[in-house]
Amino acid sequence: MKTLADRLGKRLRDLRGEESQLAFAKKLGISKSSLNRMEIGEQNVSLKTLDTLCRRLKRDIGDLFSD
């Protein structure tokens, strides 16, 4: 079973598509290194960060963890 961190990472990679990590991170208001760690499931993500991601991506929290 995939962890929540793995599911979030996969979803962020899917949403980023061909866009560079740097450009996508700027769009999200986070650092490139944070995005990289999130995408590989190594970043603990706070509720505040999740809220920011949802607002910037115009997505519901459930959308960030869908398979």
Side-chain angles (χ1 to χ4, degrees):
M1 177 180 238
K2 289 184 179 181
T3 66
L4 287 176
D6 292 334
R7 290 168 62 187
L8 176 62
K10 181 183 181 319
R11 186 68 175 137
L12 288 173
R13 285 190 305 275
D14 290 346
L15 291 170
R16 180 168 62 85
E18 296 296 318
E19 191 171 5
S20 73
Q21 279 189 334
L22 181 59
F24 195 60
K26 285 182 180 183
K27 176 179 172 179
L28 298 177
I30 60 174
S31 69
K32 179 185 176 288
S33 61
S34 288
L35 176 61
N36 181 58
R37 288 191 308 271
M38 281 184 221
E39 286 188 355
I40 61 176
E42 292 184 358
Q43 175 82 18
N44 285 325
V45 181
S46 69
L47 289 175
K48 183 178 179 180
T49 300
L50 286 173
D51 183 58
T52 299
L53 295 176
C54 288
R55 283 186 288 107
R56 298 276 176 114
L57 293 169
K58 297 181 176 137
R59 305 274 176 163
D60 185 65
I61 188 76
D63 295 336
L64 295 182
F65 295 97
S66 63
D67 284 337

